[in-house]
Amino acid sequence: ARWAPDPVLEPSAAVRSRGARGGAGAETQVGNDLGSPEPLRWLLRSPFDRNVPVQLELQELLLDHVFQRLGVASQGCVDHPIVLTEAVCNPLYSRQMMSELLFECYQVPKVSYGVDSLYSFYHNRRQNWPCSGLVISSGYQCTHILPVLEGRLDAKNCKRINLGGCQAAVYLQRLLQLKYPGHFAAITLSRMEEILHEHSYIAEDYIEELQKWRSPEYYENNMHKMQLPFSNKLLGSTLTSEEKQERRQQQLRRLQELNARRREEKLQLDQERLDRLLYVQELLEDGQMDQFHKALVELNMDSAEELQSYINKLSLSVEQTKQKILQAEVNIEVDVVDSKPETPDLDPLGSEQSLEDVESINEFEPLFAEEQPEVEKPVATVQPVFNLAEYHQLFLGTERIRAPEIVFQPSLIGEDQAGIAETMQYVLERYPKEQQAILVQNVFLTGGNTMYPGLKARVQKELLEMRPFRSSFQVHLASSPVLDAWYGARDWAVEYMTREEGWITRKDYEEKGGEYLKEHCASNVYVPIRLPKQAPRTTEALAPSRLLTSSTGNPCEQA
C-alpha cells in the first residue's frame, strides 16, 4: 500500500495467441495491453469464475503483469506485504491455492485477505456512522447483501444474487440486436457497457416509468441517440454511371495486367525447365552416359523415353503460353478500338422527304391542334437522398431502464432468483426488530453496478414499502463505488502495517495450511476444516475377544 499511491485499473483477462506458422511462438497479452477486446473476445480467458479464482496459471500471469507495471521485481522474491480481496464466503480451496501461489512462487513475507465491499464500507465510515449496517454490493458478475453487526460481517446471513453488470450488458445487447438486425455485428458488448455507464438509469417506479415512455412527447425529450461508426465508401448509389463504367474498366485493366504477368512468369518457368531437359538430352547425344544417368536420377526419371515425353509436353506448353500472350495483346488493341463512341445512323426515309412535304404537313397542323393533347414538359425527378449517418444511429428509449432493472426483477431475463428488494427483506427478517432497526440506519451501496442514477431513490422506495409505519432508515452511496474498495484496503494496510492482526505470515502458512485466515474488520469469517475423528477402540469392545482366548490355553479347544 505504501508503494502504490494511486490505483491501477486493469481488466482481469488474458489472451494467448497461437502465433504464426513458422514464425514466433505464442504471444500473451494481459490487462490493458489487450486494447479493444472485441476482436479477441473469443480468446479472452479470466482466472475468475463468478469472482472466485479457479485458474491459477492465469492468476500468475496477472500478478506478473501487475508487479511489472508497479515497478516491483517479481523474479525470485517479492519483498512486500500483499493485501488481496476475495469473494464473500470464499471457498477454502480457492484461498489455499492463492496462498500457495503467493508464498511458494513469490515468497511474499505476509498476506492479508479481505472483502472488497467491506473495505469500501471501512473507507466511507464517518464519525457519526454506526458500526453496523447493511451493505449492498453489486459488481460485474454478482450482487451481495451483507449484514454488518458491531463492525464484523455476519457471514451466516449473507445472501448472493447471481446478477450484475455483465448480465445487464448481455440483455441490452439482445434487445438492441432484435431492434436493429441490420447492425447485428456493430452492437458489441463493449458498446453495450458504454451505453449502460452513460445512458442508463434506474426507474423509481418501473411500471409508472414505462407508462411515461408511451407518450410521444416524453419519448422525444428523453430518447438518446448513439452513433455507430460507418464509412461513405459503402454507399454505392452515390456513383454516377460514368464513374461506375470507369471503375469497371480499371478493374478489367488490372485483371488483364495480372493475367499477363502470370502468363509471363509461367512462360519463363517452363522455358527454364525445358532448357534443363534439353541440356540433359544433349548429354545423351554426346555419349556422356554417367552424367546423363546422374541427371536422370536428379530429375526423378527412369529412361530416355520419359525424358523425351516431358520435353514434348513442355514444348507444347511453351508454345500455347506464347499464343495466349499474343492473343491477349490483340484483344487489348481491339478493345481500345471498340471503345470509341458510335454515331447513330440517320433515318434513310427522312432524307428523302422534300421541302414541299414538310410544308404540306404544316398546313394541316391547325386543324388537329385541339385534338392533340399538350405535351407536358419533363419534370426533373428528385430522388430522396439516403442519409447514411442516420441509418447507423441507435435510438435508446425504454432500453435505458429495462437493462439495469434486472437486478430488481431477474424474471425479465428468465432467471428464477429474487431481486435486491426481496433479498434485502429476507435478510432483515432473519433478525429481531431491534437489530433490524439498527441495520437499516446505515444501508450502504457500493460496487460498479450501483453507479446508475436513481438507484439510491429506488432502494429508499423499496425500504419505505417494507419497513413499518413511521420507522426511519438511511441509505448512503459510496463516494467512489469503483475505487473505494482499493482506497479502503490502502487505509487498512497503512493502519495495520506494524500489527499482527489480519496478517498471515509464512510461519502461519506452513503451520496451519493455505486455507488459514486471520480475521479483521473487513475480512471473511474463518471456518476451519473439521474432519470427523474416528472413535478409539475401547477396552470394553475388546473384552469378549480377550475372554475367548484367556479361558483356555488352546483357542482351538475353546472353539
Side-chain angles (χ1 to χ4, degrees):
R2 293 183 178 177
W3 41 263
D6 294 317
V8 180
L9 295 178
E10 295 270 354
S12 299
V15 167
R16 222 175 248 177
S17 60
R18 297 178 180 177
R21 293 183 178 178
E27 181 184 359
T28 303
Q29 296 177 341
V30 182
N32 289 333
D33 294 342
L34 296 175
S36 177
E38 292 306 325
L40 303 172
R41 188 169 290 278
W42 65 284
L43 287 173
L44 284 179
R45 297 292 181 270
S46 174
F48 300 98
D49 181 12
R50 298 281 184 172
N51 73 357
V52 176
V54 292
Q55 298 287 341
L56 267 296
E57 294 181 0
L58 295 176
Q59 185 64 44
E60 184 178 352
L61 287 176
L62 289 175
L63 289 176
D64 288 339
H65 179 76
V66 171
F67 289 145
Q68 182 181 3
R69 286 299 180 92
L70 293 175
V72 178
S74 61
Q75 297 294 332
C77 176
V78 176
D79 193 16
H80 293 278
I82 301 296
V83 178
L84 210 62
T85 60
E86 62 179 7
V88 181
C89 301
N90 191 35
L92 297 182
Y93 178 69
S94 175
R95 186 186 301 134
Q96 178 184 1
M97 292 192 300
M98 186 63 68
S99 297
E100 182 179 351
L101 176 65
L102 293 173
F103 283 110
E104 301 294 343
C105 181
Y106 294 100
Q107 304 292 325
V108 297
K110 55 184 179 180
V111 179
S112 177
Y113 295 102
V115 180
D116 51 358
S117 53
L118 296 182
Y119 278 131
S120 179
F121 183 78
Y122 178 84
H123 175 71
N124 284 272
R125 64 180 180 178
R126 299 169 187 171
Q127 294 181 357
N128 55 349
W129 272 29
C131 296
S132 303
L134 191 66
V135 180
I136 301 177
S137 173
S138 184
Y140 188 69
Q141 290 284 356
C142 56
T143 301
H144 289 97
I145 310 294
L146 311 177
V148 179
L149 292 172
E150 300 298 331
R152 298 305 300 271
L153 176 68
D154 185 8
K156 294 182 179 179
N157 295 319
C158 293
K159 296 300 172 184
R160 168 186 176 128
I161 306 171
N162 290 321
L163 292 174
C166 175
Q167 288 77 15
V170 173
Y171 181 48
L172 180 61
Q173 183 187 34
R174 201 186 328 163
L175 290 176
L176 292 180
Q177 285 178 345
L178 289 173
K179 187 177 180 180
Y180 299 99
H183 305 312
F184 193 89
I187 301 175
T188 60
L189 281 177
S190 299
R191 292 196 174 99
M192 297 306 101
E193 292 173 0
E194 180 184 351
I195 291 175
L196 286 175
H197 294 160
E198 299 181 3
H199 302 281
S200 297
Y201 66 97
I202 297 288
E204 186 173 349
D205 191 325
Y206 182 67
I207 302 300
E208 183 180 348
E209 190 72 17
L210 287 179
Q211 294 295 332
K212 292 180 182 179
W213 277 98
R214 298 182 68 177
S215 172
E217 183 178 355
Y218 187 86
Y219 180 85
E220 290 294 332
N221 295 333
N222 295 276
M223 180 263 300
H224 288 189
K225 296 180 182 178
M226 183 178 182
Q227 183 67 57
L228 295 176
F230 67 96
S231 176
N232 286 323
K233 296 180 180 180
L234 299 177
L235 191 60
S237 59
T238 57
L239 300 176
T240 61
S241 59
E242 292 81 4
E243 292 176 347
K244 291 180 180 178
Q245 184 66 22
E246 180 65 24
R247 181 169 294 183
R248 291 196 194 96
Q249 292 179 358
Q250 291 178 359
Q251 293 176 353
L252 179 61
R253 200 176 300 116
R254 290 197 200 99
L255 289 175
Q256 291 175 346
E257 293 175 356
L258 180 62
N259 290 334
R261 194 180 307 116
R262 288 179 178 175
R263 291 192 188 100
E264 291 176 357
E265 293 175 355
K266 184 176 181 300
L267 176 63
Q268 182 179 2
L269 183 61
D270 291 344
Q271 188 65 44
E272 291 177 356
R273 297 162 98 184
L274 180 60
D275 294 341
R276 170 65 177 167
L277 295 179
L278 291 175
Y279 170 75
V280 175
Q281 191 178 31
E282 291 178 357
L283 293 177
L284 176 62
E285 295 175 354
D286 295 342
Q288 302 177 8
M289 302 304 296
D290 295 338
Q291 296 182 4
F292 173 72
H293 289 296
K294 187 183 297 184
L296 280 182
V297 172
E298 292 177 358
L299 294 174
N300 198 16
M301 295 183 185
D302 298 331
S303 61
E305 291 78 7
E306 186 177 358
L307 174 65
Q308 186 62 39
S309 175
Y310 272 101
I311 291 175
N312 295 336
K313 290 180 181 179
L314 276 178
S315 301
L316 181 60
S317 176
V318 168
E319 291 297 328
Q320 290 178 352
T321 306
K322 289 181 179 179
Q323 293 294 331
K324 288 181 180 179
I325 293 175
L326 293 176
Q327 186 66 27
E329 293 176 355
V330 172
N331 290 338
I332 292 175
E333 293 178 358
V334 172
D335 292 340
V336 172
V337 173
D338 293 342
S339 61
K340 294 181 180 180
E342 298 180 358
T343 56
D345 296 334
L346 298 177
D347 188 5
L349 296 177
S351 60
E352 297 177 358
Q353 291 181 355
S354 61
L355 184 60
E356 296 178 357
D357 296 335
V358 175
E359 291 177 354
S360 61
I361 292 175
N362 292 335
E363 291 178 359
F364 291 99
E365 281 185 359
L367 298 177
F368 303 98
E370 295 180 357
E371 299 179 2
Q372 294 178 354
E374 295 182 0
V375 179
E376 296 181 358
K377 296 182 179 179
V379 180
T381 59
V382 180
Q383 296 183 355
V385 179
F386 180 73
N387 194 333
L388 191 62
E390 291 185 359
Y391 175 73
H392 286 82
Q393 286 180 354
L394 301 181
F395 293 83
L396 306 175
T398 56
E399 293 84 9
R400 295 177 59 195
I401 62 173
R402 292 175 67 183
E405 183 66 20
I406 64 171
V407 293
F408 288 93
Q409 300 186 52
S411 59
L412 292 176
I413 58 174
E415 290 288 340
D416 188 15
Q417 300 185 51
I420 288 180
E422 293 86 350
T423 308
M424 186 166 49
Q425 184 176 5
Y426 177 79
V427 171
L428 289 174
E429 289 178 352
R430 297 177 67 89
Y431 294 95
K433 293 183 179 180
E434 295 78 11
Q435 290 185 342
Q436 290 184 23
I438 295 174
L439 290 174
V440 297
Q441 291 302 318
N442 188 13
V443 179
F444 181 70
L445 306 177
T446 185
N449 204 39
T450 62
M451 298 177 66
Y452 297 114
L455 178 63
K456 182 178 178 180
R458 177 65 175 272
V459 174
Q460 289 175 343
K461 174 182 174 295
E462 299 291 348
L463 282 171
L464 185 63
E465 293 178 355
M466 71 177 67
R467 295 300 297 155
F469 181 62
R470 290 186 177 180
S471 63
S472 62
F473 56 85
Q474 293 183 11
V475 180
H476 305 280
L477 181 64
S479 57
S480 178
V482 176
L483 298 178
D484 277 354
W486 187 90
Y487 288 124
R490 180 198 62 182
D491 297 341
W492 183 91
V494 172
E495 184 177 351
Y496 288 82
M497 182 64 70
T498 57
R499 306 183 191 178
E500 295 184 0
E501 180 182 354
W503 293 104
I504 305 170
T505 61
R506 185 172 185 84
K507 183 179 179 182
D508 296 330
Y509 165 74
E510 293 174 351
E511 291 181 357
K512 302 176 182 179
E515 70 277 1
Y516 177 66
L517 173 68
K518 276 191 177 180
E519 298 181 8
H520 55 89
C521 61
S523 71
N524 277 310
V525 177
Y526 176 55
V527 181
I529 300 177
R530 296 178 181 177
L531 298 176
K533 296 181 179 180
Q534 295 182 357
R537 299 180 67 182
T538 62
T539 57
E540 297 178 356
L542 297 175
S545 61
R546 291 178 180 176
L547 290 174
L548 290 174
T549 58
S550 61
S551 59
T552 60
N554 191 353
C556 296
E557 295 177 357
Q558 179 69 24

